[in-house]
Amino acid sequence: MKNPALAIHGGAGTISRNNLSSEKERQYREALADALASGRELLTSGAHALDVVERCVRVLEDCPLFNAGRGSVFTHEGTHEMDASVMRGDTLAAGAVAGVHGVKNPVSLARHVMENTRHVMLCGEGALAYAREAGLEMMPEDWFFSAFRHAQWQDARKDGDVRLDHAGDRKFGTVGAVALDRAGNLAAATSTGGMTNKRSGRVGDTPLVGAGTYANNQTCAVSCTGDGEYFIRAVAAYDLACLMQYGNYSLEEAARKVIMEKIKTAGGEGGLIAIDASGHIVLPFNSEGMYRGWWREGEPPKTGIYRDE
Ligand code: ASP
């Protein structure tokens, strides 16, 4: 029997006390605390880590503050294209969707693909047809509309820029969760709207198993956020697990190597959350801040945004 533990993120980037009002900060902390609480409740009642990461990511997808689900950013064409994935560390089963719209909780669609098809990933219209067939909850496009995201997209279009979530700043609002359950199982889930003003059809690291998401009971569970293209080229989440498995790195050393050395040296910005089979948690980021929360049984839940906390 293990002491369950959990970590979540709501994206990394240029997040500092200077550019976040105290009201916004309160809202973010509350949203992170809500997601953590829903995961804790499941973990303490003995749920599987997969149920826990799905639940946490659903809560974050439903919160318009984050760039996933309801709060997804706009593509260049003014549409939403969401990516998500899940992986369980006991069986190495994985599921993912890319470029979907109208699906309320893409993470649950990814899980559905994992559990009910012979495939790992579905994308675009095929994924949507599957979502309808499977009875996933769909929402009208205006559910995904936010004036803030719209203004952000208009700004990015004006400059001909592809941006990571936030006008003026670089902020990644992707959400993710990693968990260790009482039975010793690990799981990871990640969900995103991608990058503001991205080309239609662009797929980031989030739905790519091994890049943005990975879980293996032998090593760790990982969920990434940041410049997706860098995380894809680095095969970041799997690289972290490999450093542990083949290089005998600790979770901490491996996470540091990937985020502070490999991704950073290549020019990529971002961070990740990871948890190992003993319940150690790391939440490194090479950007100014990262929305994050973590909890271990017997300890109070914690949230963090800035570097110095
Ligand atoms: N990694 C995501 C992507 O490139 C962006 C993010 O983390 O917000 O799609």
Side-chain angles (χ1 to χ4, degrees):
M1 293 290 251
K2 302 268 185 177
N3 282 344
L6 167 68
I8 59 172
H9 71 77
T14 319
I15 312 161
S16 67
R17 288 189 173 84
N18 295 338
N19 61 18
L20 197 64
S21 69
S22 51
E23 174 53 19
K24 265 267 156 0
E25 175 179 331
R26 191 192 58 73
Q27 290 174 12
Y28 274 106
R29 288 198 194 268
E30 208 174 282
L32 291 166
D34 283 353
L36 268 185
S38 63
R40 270 165 51 213
E41 189 189 315
L42 279 181
L43 275 176
T44 45
S45 66
H48 192 283
L50 178 67
D51 292 327
V52 176
V53 295
E54 182 192 9
R55 166 82 74 90
C56 290
V57 168
R58 283 179 68 102
V59 171
L60 296 167
E61 284 177 338
D62 288 344
C63 174
L65 290 172
F66 301 103
N67 171 21
R70 187 170 192 181
S72 291
V73 299
F74 285 91
T75 65
H76 182 71
E77 289 72 19
T79 56
H80 298 290
E81 290 184 5
M82 303 177 282
D83 303 334
S85 62
V86 291
M87 185 160 184
R88 48 190 297 165
D90 49 0
T91 60
L92 304 188
V97 291
V100 297
H101 61 91
V103 179
K104 180 168 172 280
N105 295 109
V107 69
S108 296
L109 181 56
R111 180 174 178 172
H112 215 284
V113 170
M114 172 176 88
E115 292 180 340
N116 299 286
T117 76
R118 297 178 55 224
H119 310 302
V120 169
M121 184 189 282
L122 294 180
C123 74
E125 288 310 312
L128 277 179
Y130 178 76
R132 287 191 202 98
E133 215 178 283
L136 267 278
E137 197 172 353
M138 305 297 284
M139 285 296 186
E141 288 304 319
D142 61 2
W143 160 265
F144 300 90
F145 180 88
S146 106
F148 165 70
R149 295 282 184 224
H150 195 259
Q152 193 178 56
W153 167 57
Q154 292 291 335
D155 259 20
R157 264 170 74 97
K158 226 178 337 179
D159 305 350
D161 199 5
V162 176
R163 288 208 186 128
L164 297 136
D165 186 8
H166 198 257
D169 306 321
R170 289 167 53 75
K171 185 158 77 61
F172 316 88
T174 290
V175 305
V178 292
L180 169 71
D181 66 24
R182 221 180 264 303
N185 294 310
L186 295 170
T190 316
S191 180
T192 190
M195 295 172 24
T196 296
N197 208 29
K198 68 183 178 182
R199 279 188 80 102
S200 175
R202 180 262 184 188
V203 175
D205 58 316
T206 301
L208 302 183
V209 172
T213 306
Y214 190 70
N216 184 337
N217 280 5
Q218 305 297 313
T219 50
C220 59
V222 188
S223 170
C224 302
T225 172
D227 280 314
E229 279 68 9
Y230 288 87
F231 283 76
I232 293 171
R233 287 189 290 256
V235 201
Y238 185 61
D239 193 36
L240 197 167
C242 284
L243 286 167
M244 293 177 70
Q245 187 158 9
Y246 308 122
N248 287 322
Y249 279 59
S250 68
L251 179 75
E252 190 147 37
E253 290 164 347
R256 210 190 141 67
K257 178 112 196 143
V258 172
I259 292 299
M260 302 303 188
E261 293 179 32
K262 292 183 154 184
I263 297 273
K264 191 169 179 181
T265 311
E269 195 182 347
L272 58 78
I273 53 172
I275 187 167
D276 70 13
S278 314
H280 296 121
I281 290 172
V282 289
L283 309 96
F285 49 95
N286 65 29
S287 48
E288 245 178 282
M290 182 166 84
Y291 297 112
R292 58 201 189 277
W294 64 102
W295 170 78
R296 282 185 209 87
E297 193 171 50
E299 293 175 21
K302 298 207 177 75
T303 61
I305 298 178
Y306 312 113
R307 174 155 293 291
D308 58 3
E309 58 180 335

